[in-house]
Amino acid sequence: MSNPSKVTKAEDDTQGRASVAGARKPGATFEPRIVAFLCKWCSSAGSDLAGVSRIQYSANATPITIPCSGSVSPMYILSAFNKGADGVLISGCHPGDCHYMEGNYLARRKLYLVKELLQFIGLESERFRMSWVSAAEGAKFAEVVDEFVEDLRVLGPQNRLKAKR
Amino acid sequence: MVNVEEIRDYAANLLKKGEVKSVLGFRRGSASAFAEPCTITDVGEATSLVWDPTCLNNLTLYLVKDRKQQAAAKNPDNRPVGIVAKGCDSRAIGVLLQENYFKREDVVVIGVSCEGTGVVDPRKLSAKLKGRTASRVTFGGADGINVSVYGDETETVIPAREILADRCLECRAAVPALNDVVFGEAVGAREFDEPFHAAKEAESLSADERWATWEHHFDRCLRCFACRAVCPMCYCPECVVDSTTFVVTLGTSAEEKANRIRWCERSANTSESAVYHLTRTIHLAGRCIDCGECERVCPVNIPLRLLNTKLEKEAFEMFEYQAGHDIEQASLLSSFRDEDPNSFIR
Ligand code: SF4
Ligand code: SF4
């Protein structure tokens, strides 16, 4: 992988488990787990750029590359929370820059409704986030993730929608 | 006032002229005062049609069922169907037309006005009657519903606001806009609750309070799927939350099972029911016309309407979109405007 700061799946898994276990142990610091759905045309490349530019940022986000922010089904988000994500980030191209012309506009409308609905049932509003990050905005990507991690640290682990298995 | 004889004559005429193969309407139920849905195919049966505040059901569901039946039939009967529709029901037909579920010429909409009130909520009515059973419920003008009970045939006027279904209290258009004929006066202004009243009230609680409420509700959900079964918009042959076509047999390999996406488990626990309900709500965004059927049929009284109206409110306020109002319009989630909210995105 060309991105040194991007964690591999295996590393991330151990880290995630450690963080879940850590959250239960008093005194241990809580490492939030973020599932980040990144558009392959922009934000995914933006995260790569953050990596190759050797920007230091939190390694708490598990990136999942998707073809377009418009392709995000609300089920991805619900499923991520169900499986224990502390936060979900969706990142796509700036308005006007969509590779498919209007995917991000459709995403914006759809995800606005998802955000409102999640808040309505009482999920903390900080847990679901959307950003526009272009392929040239490595620094912005790092900033978005860092900010998200900080906010989630304050909130603590997400237990409301997490499956109690 | 709607003269029920006119509805009967109209339905009989449609059948006589062969313009429709059947008429979906309401008839007197066999128990208590509540009407039940019926399908009439003979001219003579038209006399059994009724229209009063106990005609709760959204009959559009049966249009959808008929479509499904004809699609599976060897010799499909594709003649049009007549349907008695209230304001909300006509909007449901509107959404289905918008989605090309059937064509305008496949349905004859016999619109009925709600006379400035609406339909009653059976739970509110029985609480009001303190255990007695209503024998007759009729419209009583702008703000009353006439009710008489078994053993005492004197009619009492109950203020409409006390026994009307929640959705009727908030209804913005109690007259079917989409119709072939309308019976009764179009009473526009209604002085009950403001639109989205209940959703706004729920919004005003804190996040913790809201979660406490919904956790309780999700926990109680039996996952009987009655809410899905009664909704005319939930017409998918297979629902994303519980696959019915993926059959696990001895021959199903572990890989096939593993690769099959299961968005949520079928077990009725809080987290899985949360996924079900949120999915259901989002799949009905811009499609739910607030007929309140889902909430009415829920055996454990989960306030499902709140979830749906929350998104209906957002669609109305942020996107100026109203489900079922314009059949030419692009659907809520397949359209956008430049001025859609953007400030929540970083
Ligand atoms: S979700 Fe409920 S209120 Fe909305 S259309 Fe379906 S049954 Fe009617
Ligand atoms: S009808 Fe009520 S109990 Fe049944 S699945 Fe729907 S919400 Fe759950």
Side-chain angles (χ1 to χ4, degrees), chain B residues 146-179:
Chain B
N146 305 328
V147 180
S148 40
V149 294
Y150 282 107
D152 176 9
E153 292 308 310
T154 49
E155 249 175 18
T156 343
V157 186
I158 301 182
R161 123 180 315 285
E162 289 174 23
I163 52 168
L164 275 196
D166 287 348
R167 70 166 192 284
C168 299
L169 293 173
E170 296 180 9
C171 181
R172 282 163 289 149
V175 173
L178 177 95
N179 62 60

PDB file of all heavy atoms in Angstrom, chain B residues 146-179:
ATOM      1  N   ASN B 146     -70.701  11.942  15.477  1.00  0.00           N
ATOM      2  CA  ASN B 146     -71.840  11.394  16.197  1.00  0.00           C
ATOM      3  C   ASN B 146     -71.587   9.935  16.517  1.00  0.00           C
ATOM      4  O   ASN B 146     -71.272   9.146  15.635  1.00  0.00           O
ATOM      5  CB  ASN B 146     -73.113  11.468  15.349  1.00  0.00           C
ATOM      6  CG  ASN B 146     -73.384  12.882  14.878  1.00  0.00           C
ATOM      7  OD1 ASN B 146     -73.056  13.839  15.568  1.00  0.00           O
ATOM      8  ND2 ASN B 146     -73.966  12.996  13.692  1.00  0.00           N
ATOM      9  N   VAL B 147     -71.751   9.574  17.770  1.00  0.00           N
ATOM     10  CA  VAL B 147     -71.513   8.194  18.176  1.00  0.00           C
ATOM     11  C   VAL B 147     -72.696   7.700  18.985  1.00  0.00           C
ATOM     12  O   VAL B 147     -73.190   8.397  19.873  1.00  0.00           O
ATOM     13  CB  VAL B 147     -70.232   8.095  19.044  1.00  0.00           C
ATOM     14  CG1 VAL B 147     -69.985   6.663  19.479  1.00  0.00           C
ATOM     15  CG2 VAL B 147     -69.029   8.633  18.289  1.00  0.00           C
ATOM     16  N   SER B 148     -73.163   6.495  18.664  1.00  0.00           N
ATOM     17  CA  SER B 148     -74.117   5.869  19.574  1.00  0.00           C
ATOM     18  C   SER B 148     -73.558   4.504  19.954  1.00  0.00           C
ATOM     19  O   SER B 148     -72.768   3.924  19.223  1.00  0.00           O
ATOM     20  CB  SER B 148     -75.501   5.746  18.932  1.00  0.00           C
ATOM     21  OG  SER B 148     -75.402   5.393  17.588  1.00  0.00           O
ATOM     22  N   VAL B 149     -73.949   4.006  21.097  1.00  0.00           N
ATOM     23  CA  VAL B 149     -73.382   2.749  21.583  1.00  0.00           C
ATOM     24  C   VAL B 149     -74.475   1.686  21.667  1.00  0.00           C
ATOM     25  O   VAL B 149     -75.669   1.997  21.677  1.00  0.00           O
ATOM     26  CB  VAL B 149     -72.721   2.926  22.969  1.00  0.00           C
ATOM     27  CG1 VAL B 149     -71.524   3.831  22.877  1.00  0.00           C
ATOM     28  CG2 VAL B 149     -73.724   3.427  23.985  1.00  0.00           C
ATOM     29  N   TYR B 150     -74.059   0.438  21.743  1.00  0.00           N
ATOM     30  CA  TYR B 150     -75.022  -0.654  21.847  1.00  0.00           C
ATOM     31  C   TYR B 150     -75.830  -0.508  23.115  1.00  0.00           C
ATOM     32  O   TYR B 150     -75.298  -0.172  24.171  1.00  0.00           O
ATOM     33  CB  TYR B 150     -74.291  -2.011  21.854  1.00  0.00           C
ATOM     34  CG  TYR B 150     -73.856  -2.415  20.472  1.00  0.00           C
ATOM     35  CD1 TYR B 150     -72.523  -2.370  20.100  1.00  0.00           C
ATOM     36  CD2 TYR B 150     -74.804  -2.818  19.533  1.00  0.00           C
ATOM     37  CE1 TYR B 150     -72.127  -2.725  18.829  1.00  0.00           C
ATOM     38  CE2 TYR B 150     -74.424  -3.168  18.250  1.00  0.00           C
ATOM     39  CZ  TYR B 150     -73.080  -3.126  17.899  1.00  0.00           C
ATOM     40  OH  TYR B 150     -72.710  -3.458  16.649  1.00  0.00           O
ATOM     41  N   GLY B 151     -77.111  -0.736  23.028  1.00  0.00           N
ATOM     42  CA  GLY B 151     -77.975  -0.667  24.200  1.00  0.00           C
ATOM     43  C   GLY B 151     -78.478   0.738  24.466  1.00  0.00           C
ATOM     44  O   GLY B 151     -79.308   0.957  25.335  1.00  0.00           O
ATOM     45  N   ASP B 152     -77.956   1.710  23.720  1.00  0.00           N
ATOM     46  CA  ASP B 152     -78.397   3.093  23.928  1.00  0.00           C
ATOM     47  C   ASP B 152     -78.262   3.808  22.598  1.00  0.00           C
ATOM     48  O   ASP B 152     -77.192   4.233  22.223  1.00  0.00           O
ATOM     49  CB  ASP B 152     -77.511   3.763  24.993  1.00  0.00           C
ATOM     50  CG  ASP B 152     -77.867   5.226  25.168  1.00  0.00           C
ATOM     51  OD1 ASP B 152     -78.893   5.667  24.602  1.00  0.00           O
ATOM     52  OD2 ASP B 152     -77.114   5.939  25.864  1.00  0.00           O
ATOM     53  N   GLU B 153     -79.361   3.864  21.885  1.00  0.00           N
ATOM     54  CA  GLU B 153     -79.276   4.348  20.511  1.00  0.00           C
ATOM     55  C   GLU B 153     -79.288   5.870  20.393  1.00  0.00           C
ATOM     56  O   GLU B 153     -79.284   6.397  19.290  1.00  0.00           O
ATOM     57  CB  GLU B 153     -80.355   3.718  19.642  1.00  0.00           C
ATOM     58  CG  GLU B 153     -80.154   2.208  19.407  1.00  0.00           C
ATOM     59  CD  GLU B 153     -78.739   1.855  18.890  1.00  0.00           C
ATOM     60  OE1 GLU B 153     -78.271   2.485  17.916  1.00  0.00           O
ATOM     61  OE2 GLU B 153     -78.109   0.957  19.472  1.00  0.00           O
ATOM     62  N   THR B 154     -79.284   6.594  21.511  1.00  0.00           N
ATOM     63  CA  THR B 154     -79.245   8.053  21.382  1.00  0.00           C
ATOM     64  C   THR B 154     -77.841   8.466  20.929  1.00  0.00           C
ATOM     65  O   THR B 154     -76.841   7.912  21.393  1.00  0.00           O
ATOM     66  CB  THR B 154     -79.558   8.764  22.719  1.00  0.00           C
ATOM     67  OG1 THR B 154     -78.739   8.168  23.722  1.00  0.00           O
ATOM     68  CG2 THR B 154     -81.012   8.662  23.074  1.00  0.00           C
ATOM     69  N   GLU B 155     -77.829   9.417  20.013  1.00  0.00           N
ATOM     70  CA  GLU B 155     -76.559   9.846  19.453  1.00  0.00           C
ATOM     71  C   GLU B 155     -75.906  10.917  20.325  1.00  0.00           C
ATOM     72  O   GLU B 155     -76.556  11.863  20.739  1.00  0.00           O
ATOM     73  CB  GLU B 155     -76.785  10.431  18.062  1.00  0.00           C
ATOM     74  CG  GLU B 155     -76.218   9.552  16.987  1.00  0.00           C
ATOM     75  CD  GLU B 155     -76.543  10.067  15.601  1.00  0.00           C
ATOM     76  OE1 GLU B 155     -76.901  11.245  15.442  1.00  0.00           O
ATOM     77  OE2 GLU B 155     -76.413   9.252  14.670  1.00  0.00           O
ATOM     78  N   THR B 156     -74.624  10.726  20.615  1.00  0.00           N
ATOM     79  CA  THR B 156     -73.904  11.772  21.339  1.00  0.00           C
ATOM     80  C   THR B 156     -72.899  12.373  20.363  1.00  0.00           C
ATOM     81  O   THR B 156     -72.290  11.643  19.585  1.00  0.00           O
ATOM     82  CB  THR B 156     -73.066  11.185  22.492  1.00  0.00           C
ATOM     83  OG1 THR B 156     -73.522   9.876  22.772  1.00  0.00           O
ATOM     84  CG2 THR B 156     -73.120  12.054  23.716  1.00  0.00           C
ATOM     85  N   VAL B 157     -72.724  13.677  20.426  1.00  0.00           N
ATOM     86  CA  VAL B 157     -71.708  14.305  19.589  1.00  0.00           C
ATOM     87  C   VAL B 157     -70.419  14.382  20.393  1.00  0.00           C
ATOM     88  O   VAL B 157     -70.378  15.002  21.453  1.00  0.00           O
ATOM     89  CB  VAL B 157     -72.129  15.720  19.149  1.00  0.00           C
ATOM     90  CG1 VAL B 157     -71.116  16.295  18.168  1.00  0.00           C
ATOM     91  CG2 VAL B 157     -73.506  15.683  18.532  1.00  0.00           C
ATOM     92  N   ILE B 158     -69.383  13.704  19.910  1.00  0.00           N
ATOM     93  CA  ILE B 158     -68.091  13.784  20.578  1.00  0.00           C
ATOM     94  C   ILE B 158     -67.239  14.769  19.789  1.00  0.00           C
ATOM     95  O   ILE B 158     -67.169  14.674  18.563  1.00  0.00           O
ATOM     96  CB  ILE B 158     -67.403  12.401  20.629  1.00  0.00           C
ATOM     97  CG1 ILE B 158     -68.296  11.401  21.375  1.00  0.00           C
ATOM     98  CG2 ILE B 158     -66.035  12.501  21.299  1.00  0.00           C
ATOM     99  CD1 ILE B 158     -67.693  10.029  21.536  1.00  0.00           C
ATOM    100  N   PRO B 159     -66.583  15.720  20.448  1.00  0.00           N
ATOM    101  CA  PRO B 159     -65.724  16.657  19.713  1.00  0.00           C
ATOM    102  C   PRO B 159     -64.701  15.880  18.891  1.00  0.00           C
ATOM    103  O   PRO B 159     -64.029  14.989  19.417  1.00  0.00           O
ATOM    104  CB  PRO B 159     -65.047  17.467  20.812  1.00  0.00           C
ATOM    105  CG  PRO B 159     -65.920  17.310  22.006  1.00  0.00           C
ATOM    106  CD  PRO B 159     -66.590  15.989  21.889  1.00  0.00           C
ATOM    107  N   ALA B 160     -64.602  16.227  17.609  1.00  0.00           N
ATOM    108  CA  ALA B 160     -63.752  15.472  16.693  1.00  0.00           C
ATOM    109  C   ALA B 160     -62.317  15.379  17.203  1.00  0.00           C
ATOM    110  O   ALA B 160     -61.689  14.329  17.144  1.00  0.00           O
ATOM    111  CB  ALA B 160     -63.774  16.121  15.319  1.00  0.00           C
ATOM    112  N   ARG B 161     -61.815  16.450  17.763  1.00  0.00           N
ATOM    113  CA  ARG B 161     -60.417  16.490  18.175  1.00  0.00           C
ATOM    114  C   ARG B 161     -60.083  15.410  19.212  1.00  0.00           C
ATOM    115  O   ARG B 161     -58.959  14.968  19.315  1.00  0.00           O
ATOM    116  CB  ARG B 161     -60.107  17.914  18.642  1.00  0.00           C
ATOM    117  CG  ARG B 161     -59.582  18.099  20.012  1.00  0.00           C
ATOM    118  CD  ARG B 161     -59.328  19.564  20.346  1.00  0.00           C
ATOM    119  NE  ARG B 161     -58.662  20.371  19.340  1.00  0.00           N
ATOM    120  CZ  ARG B 161     -57.356  20.322  19.049  1.00  0.00           C
ATOM    121  NH1 ARG B 161     -56.586  19.471  19.649  1.00  0.00           N
ATOM    122  NH2 ARG B 161     -56.842  21.118  18.162  1.00  0.00           N
ATOM    123  N   GLU B 162     -61.116  14.941  19.959  1.00  0.00           N
ATOM    124  CA  GLU B 162     -60.849  13.941  20.988  1.00  0.00           C
ATOM    125  C   GLU B 162     -60.715  12.517  20.466  1.00  0.00           C
ATOM    126  O   GLU B 162     -60.101  11.673  21.112  1.00  0.00           O
ATOM    127  CB  GLU B 162     -61.948  13.990  22.062  1.00  0.00           C
ATOM    128  CG  GLU B 162     -61.862  15.243  22.915  1.00  0.00           C
ATOM    129  CD  GLU B 162     -63.018  15.369  23.883  1.00  0.00           C
ATOM    130  OE1 GLU B 162     -63.642  14.346  24.216  1.00  0.00           O
ATOM    131  OE2 GLU B 162     -63.290  16.506  24.291  1.00  0.00           O
ATOM    132  N   ILE B 163     -61.350  12.222  19.352  1.00  0.00           N
ATOM    133  CA  ILE B 163     -61.298  10.832  18.882  1.00  0.00           C
ATOM    134  C   ILE B 163     -60.746  10.661  17.468  1.00  0.00           C
ATOM    135  O   ILE B 163     -60.625   9.548  16.979  1.00  0.00           O
ATOM    136  CB  ILE B 163     -62.682  10.139  18.968  1.00  0.00           C
ATOM    137  CG1 ILE B 163     -63.758  10.972  18.275  1.00  0.00           C
ATOM    138  CG2 ILE B 163     -63.062   9.847  20.405  1.00  0.00           C
ATOM    139  CD1 ILE B 163     -65.056  10.201  18.080  1.00  0.00           C
ATOM    140  N   LEU B 164     -60.409  11.747  16.799  1.00  0.00           N
ATOM    141  CA  LEU B 164     -59.865  11.610  15.441  1.00  0.00           C
ATOM    142  C   LEU B 164     -58.492  10.937  15.479  1.00  0.00           C
ATOM    143  O   LEU B 164     -57.738  11.098  16.439  1.00  0.00           O
ATOM    144  CB  LEU B 164     -59.701  12.978  14.788  1.00  0.00           C
ATOM    145  CG  LEU B 164     -60.884  13.609  14.073  1.00  0.00           C
ATOM    146  CD1 LEU B 164     -60.393  14.741  13.194  1.00  0.00           C
ATOM    147  CD2 LEU B 164     -61.631  12.592  13.231  1.00  0.00           C
ATOM    148  N   ALA B 165     -58.178  10.211  14.421  1.00  0.00           N
ATOM    149  CA  ALA B 165     -56.841   9.626  14.285  1.00  0.00           C
ATOM    150  C   ALA B 165     -55.814  10.756  14.246  1.00  0.00           C
ATOM    151  O   ALA B 165     -56.106  11.839  13.726  1.00  0.00           O
ATOM    152  CB  ALA B 165     -56.769   8.807  12.998  1.00  0.00           C
ATOM    153  N   ASP B 166     -54.644  10.492  14.796  1.00  0.00           N
ATOM    154  CA  ASP B 166     -53.612  11.533  14.863  1.00  0.00           C
ATOM    155  C   ASP B 166     -53.350  12.168  13.501  1.00  0.00           C
ATOM    156  O   ASP B 166     -53.169  13.367  13.378  1.00  0.00           O
ATOM    157  CB  ASP B 166     -52.292  10.948  15.388  1.00  0.00           C
ATOM    158  CG  ASP B 166     -52.381  10.672  16.871  1.00  0.00           C
ATOM    159  OD1 ASP B 166     -53.348  11.143  17.501  1.00  0.00           O
ATOM    160  OD2 ASP B 166     -51.487   9.981  17.394  1.00  0.00           O
ATOM    161  N   ARG B 167     -53.290  11.317  12.477  1.00  0.00           N
ATOM    162  CA  ARG B 167     -52.946  11.858  11.161  1.00  0.00           C
ATOM    163  C   ARG B 167     -54.003  12.821  10.663  1.00  0.00           C
ATOM    164  O   ARG B 167     -53.700  13.789   9.971  1.00  0.00           O
ATOM    165  CB  ARG B 167     -52.773  10.722  10.169  1.00  0.00           C
ATOM    166  CG  ARG B 167     -54.070  10.010   9.811  1.00  0.00           C
ATOM    167  CD  ARG B 167     -53.850   9.161   8.592  1.00  0.00           C
ATOM    168  NE  ARG B 167     -55.060   8.650   8.002  1.00  0.00           N
ATOM    169  CZ  ARG B 167     -55.786   7.661   8.462  1.00  0.00           C
ATOM    170  NH1 ARG B 167     -55.466   7.084   9.594  1.00  0.00           N
ATOM    171  NH2 ARG B 167     -56.836   7.222   7.804  1.00  0.00           N
ATOM    172  N   CYS B 168     -55.268  12.553  11.016  1.00  0.00           N
ATOM    173  CA  CYS B 168     -56.343  13.435  10.559  1.00  0.00           C
ATOM    174  C   CYS B 168     -56.252  14.785  11.251  1.00  0.00           C
ATOM    175  O   CYS B 168     -56.611  15.803  10.671  1.00  0.00           O
ATOM    176  CB  CYS B 168     -57.696  12.794  10.820  1.00  0.00           C
ATOM    177  SG  CYS B 168     -57.891  11.236   9.957  1.00  0.00           S
ATOM    178  N   LEU B 169     -55.765  14.772  12.493  1.00  0.00           N
ATOM    179  CA  LEU B 169     -55.612  16.042  13.203  1.00  0.00           C
ATOM    180  C   LEU B 169     -54.597  16.932  12.499  1.00  0.00           C
ATOM    181  O   LEU B 169     -54.685  18.148  12.538  1.00  0.00           O
ATOM    182  CB  LEU B 169     -55.161  15.791  14.655  1.00  0.00           C
ATOM    183  CG  LEU B 169     -56.171  15.103  15.566  1.00  0.00           C
ATOM    184  CD1 LEU B 169     -55.543  14.771  16.904  1.00  0.00           C
ATOM    185  CD2 LEU B 169     -57.404  15.962  15.759  1.00  0.00           C
ATOM    186  N   GLU B 170     -53.609  16.289  11.886  1.00  0.00           N
ATOM    187  CA  GLU B 170     -52.532  17.056  11.242  1.00  0.00           C
ATOM    188  C   GLU B 170     -52.702  17.182   9.725  1.00  0.00           C
ATOM    189  O   GLU B 170     -51.861  17.756   9.060  1.00  0.00           O
ATOM    190  CB  GLU B 170     -51.178  16.387  11.517  1.00  0.00           C
ATOM    191  CG  GLU B 170     -50.797  16.372  12.973  1.00  0.00           C
ATOM    192  CD  GLU B 170     -49.456  15.703  13.211  1.00  0.00           C
ATOM    193  OE1 GLU B 170     -48.742  15.402  12.236  1.00  0.00           O
ATOM    194  OE2 GLU B 170     -49.124  15.479  14.384  1.00  0.00           O
ATOM    195  N   CYS B 171     -53.778  16.596   9.199  1.00  0.00           N
ATOM    196  CA  CYS B 171     -53.938  16.501   7.735  1.00  0.00           C
ATOM    197  C   CYS B 171     -54.010  17.878   7.083  1.00  0.00           C
ATOM    198  O   CYS B 171     -54.682  18.781   7.562  1.00  0.00           O
ATOM    199  CB  CYS B 171     -55.188  15.712   7.411  1.00  0.00           C
ATOM    200  SG  CYS B 171     -55.477  15.496   5.666  1.00  0.00           S
ATOM    201  N   ARG B 172     -53.280  18.003   5.984  1.00  0.00           N
ATOM    202  CA  ARG B 172     -53.255  19.288   5.289  1.00  0.00           C
ATOM    203  C   ARG B 172     -54.210  19.335   4.109  1.00  0.00           C
ATOM    204  O   ARG B 172     -54.501  20.387   3.573  1.00  0.00           O
ATOM    205  CB  ARG B 172     -51.836  19.594   4.794  1.00  0.00           C
ATOM    206  CG  ARG B 172     -50.923  20.096   5.876  1.00  0.00           C
ATOM    207  CD  ARG B 172     -49.490  19.975   5.445  1.00  0.00           C
ATOM    208  NE  ARG B 172     -49.084  18.580   5.410  1.00  0.00           N
ATOM    209  CZ  ARG B 172     -48.182  18.105   4.571  1.00  0.00           C
ATOM    210  NH1 ARG B 172     -47.618  18.872   3.693  1.00  0.00           N
ATOM    211  NH2 ARG B 172     -47.854  16.827   4.625  1.00  0.00           N
ATOM    212  N   ALA B 173     -54.628  18.169   3.625  1.00  0.00           N
ATOM    213  CA  ALA B 173     -55.506  18.135   2.461  1.00  0.00           C
ATOM    214  C   ALA B 173     -56.482  16.978   2.589  1.00  0.00           C
ATOM    215  O   ALA B 173     -56.182  15.865   2.208  1.00  0.00           O
ATOM    216  CB  ALA B 173     -54.684  18.006   1.181  1.00  0.00           C
ATOM    217  N   ALA B 174     -57.632  17.281   3.178  1.00  0.00           N
ATOM    218  CA  ALA B 174     -58.586  16.216   3.465  1.00  0.00           C
ATOM    219  C   ALA B 174     -59.513  15.908   2.295  1.00  0.00           C
ATOM    220  O   ALA B 174     -60.566  15.332   2.457  1.00  0.00           O
ATOM    221  CB  ALA B 174     -59.401  16.588   4.698  1.00  0.00           C
ATOM    222  N   VAL B 175     -59.095  16.317   1.108  1.00  0.00           N
ATOM    223  CA  VAL B 175     -59.903  16.060  -0.083  1.00  0.00           C
ATOM    224  C   VAL B 175     -59.008  15.396  -1.122  1.00  0.00           C
ATOM    225  O   VAL B 175     -57.865  15.801  -1.294  1.00  0.00           O
ATOM    226  CB  VAL B 175     -60.459  17.385  -0.648  1.00  0.00           C
ATOM    227  CG1 VAL B 175     -61.151  17.159  -1.970  1.00  0.00           C
ATOM    228  CG2 VAL B 175     -61.392  18.036   0.336  1.00  0.00           C
ATOM    229  N   PRO B 176     -59.502  14.347  -1.780  1.00  0.00           N
ATOM    230  CA  PRO B 176     -58.649  13.702  -2.774  1.00  0.00           C
ATOM    231  C   PRO B 176     -58.383  14.603  -3.966  1.00  0.00           C
ATOM    232  O   PRO B 176     -59.315  14.973  -4.689  1.00  0.00           O
ATOM    233  CB  PRO B 176     -59.421  12.457  -3.183  1.00  0.00           C
ATOM    234  CG  PRO B 176     -60.763  12.571  -2.598  1.00  0.00           C
ATOM    235  CD  PRO B 176     -60.781  13.659  -1.601  1.00  0.00           C
ATOM    236  N   ALA B 177     -57.126  14.978  -4.154  1.00  0.00           N
ATOM    237  CA  ALA B 177     -56.779  15.858  -5.265  1.00  0.00           C
ATOM    238  C   ALA B 177     -56.779  15.077  -6.573  1.00  0.00           C
ATOM    239  O   ALA B 177     -57.130  15.578  -7.630  1.00  0.00           O
ATOM    240  CB  ALA B 177     -55.410  16.481  -5.017  1.00  0.00           C
ATOM    241  N   LEU B 178     -56.371  13.820  -6.456  1.00  0.00           N
ATOM    242  CA  LEU B 178     -56.350  12.959  -7.636  1.00  0.00           C
ATOM    243  C   LEU B 178     -57.654  12.175  -7.634  1.00  0.00           C
ATOM    244  O   LEU B 178     -57.896  11.386  -6.726  1.00  0.00           O
ATOM    245  CB  LEU B 178     -55.151  12.002  -7.522  1.00  0.00           C
ATOM    246  CG  LEU B 178     -55.024  10.984  -8.630  1.00  0.00           C
ATOM    247  CD1 LEU B 178     -54.095  11.511  -9.688  1.00  0.00           C
ATOM    248  CD2 LEU B 178     -54.511   9.670  -8.083  1.00  0.00           C
ATOM    249  N   ASN B 179     -58.516  12.423  -8.611  1.00  0.00           N
ATOM    250  CA  ASN B 179     -59.802  11.720  -8.574  1.00  0.00           C
ATOM    251  C   ASN B 179     -60.455  11.710  -9.941  1.00  0.00           C
ATOM    252  O   ASN B 179     -60.082  12.477 -10.828  1.00  0.00           O
ATOM    253  CB  ASN B 179     -60.731  12.408  -7.573  1.00  0.00           C
ATOM    254  CG  ASN B 179     -61.015  13.836  -7.985  1.00  0.00           C
ATOM    255  OD1 ASN B 179     -61.545  14.104  -9.062  1.00  0.00           O
ATOM    256  ND2 ASN B 179     -60.624  14.782  -7.154  1.00  0.00           N
TER     257      ASN B 179
END
